[in-house]
Amino acid sequence: MCRAEKSKGKPNGKKPVPEEKKLYLEPEYTKSRITDFEFKELVMLPREIDLNEWLASNSKEFPNSFESLVKKICKYLFHVLAHIYSSHFKETLALELHGHLNTLYTHFILFIREFNLVDPKETTIMDDLTEVLCSSSGSSSSNGSGNGSGGSGSSAAQNHVKER
């Protein structure tokens, strides 16, 4: 859900007081709150322990529901990107972030297609943009001025993938 007014949880988005306690884990896993510094100390491994060896000996199997969870997350991320394009694209243009948004979208679409993470029926709402961005990223068009797919699509086709 998108809200026009800022959250009132933190005034003006200021950083929290350094000693403010934060709950990093779900309440059922911990009963204490720790400071940022204490958290960093807890997650640091001693220098003599190799991270790869530690991960190999302390890793657990992925749960059976892992794939469905990843698919659900990807579906929601697609909905977030579609929302940004439909409701906030003017703001991304004003902030000159549209190239980054287009690059993010292109990489995300290629990723979910490669690993079949989102049903293609779910993404049909953005097929026009997907076609413009994904077809221009793989081909070398003349001068990078667009691919001639209409006047309105040329600004949306500007992305960093094409410029490489």
Side-chain angles (χ1 to χ4, degrees):
M1 177 181 219
C2 176
R3 297 191 179 154
E5 54 186 312
K6 291 185 177 183
S7 170
K8 296 179 182 179
K10 300 223 184 275
N12 300 326
K14 291 181 182 177
K15 291 183 179 179
V17 180
E19 289 302 313
E20 180 181 341
K21 304 267 183 176
K22 298 177 190 166
L23 190 61
Y24 283 100
L25 299 174
E26 296 296 324
E28 61 264 17
Y29 296 115
T30 183
K31 293 182 181 182
S32 65
R33 291 178 177 253
I34 56 175
T35 64
D36 289 344
F37 178 77
E38 291 170 333
F39 182 72
K40 289 175 188 171
E41 288 294 314
L42 287 172
V43 298
M44 295 292 293
L45 287 175
R47 288 189 176 134
E48 63 272 2
I49 297 177
D50 180 49
L51 176 62
N52 292 328
E53 290 178 17
W54 185 86
L55 287 173
S57 63
N58 291 297
S59 296
K60 295 183 179 178
E61 293 290 323
F62 285 107
N64 293 336
S65 62
F66 180 74
E67 185 176 350
S68 64
L69 179 65
V70 170
K71 287 182 176 187
K72 184 181 266 189
I73 291 169
C74 287
K75 177 182 168 183
Y76 289 147
L77 283 173
F78 176 80
H79 287 262
V80 168
L81 287 169
H83 171 77
I84 291 170
Y85 274 105
S86 66
S87 301
H88 304 288
F89 193 70
K90 288 180 182 177
E91 289 86 352
T92 63
L93 286 173
L95 295 169
E96 297 180 356
L97 295 174
H98 58 287
H100 298 288
L101 179 61
N102 291 341
T103 301
L104 172 68
Y105 179 80
T106 303
H107 285 247
F108 180 72
I109 289 295
L110 294 173
F111 177 76
I112 63 171
R113 283 181 178 174
E114 181 174 345
F115 296 104
N116 198 23
L117 296 172
V118 177
D119 185 1
K121 293 177 202 169
E122 289 279 335
T123 63
T124 56
I125 189 80
M126 300 285 284
D127 277 352
D128 293 342
L129 178 66
T130 302
E131 184 178 334
V132 170
L133 292 177
C134 291
S135 67
S136 67
S137 68
S139 63
S140 58
S141 61
S142 62
N143 297 354
S145 61
N147 59 0
S149 64
S152 64
S154 63
S155 67
Q158 293 176 350
N159 66 58
H160 297 283
V161 173
K162 187 174 126 183
E163 295 173 6
R164 285 188 190 166

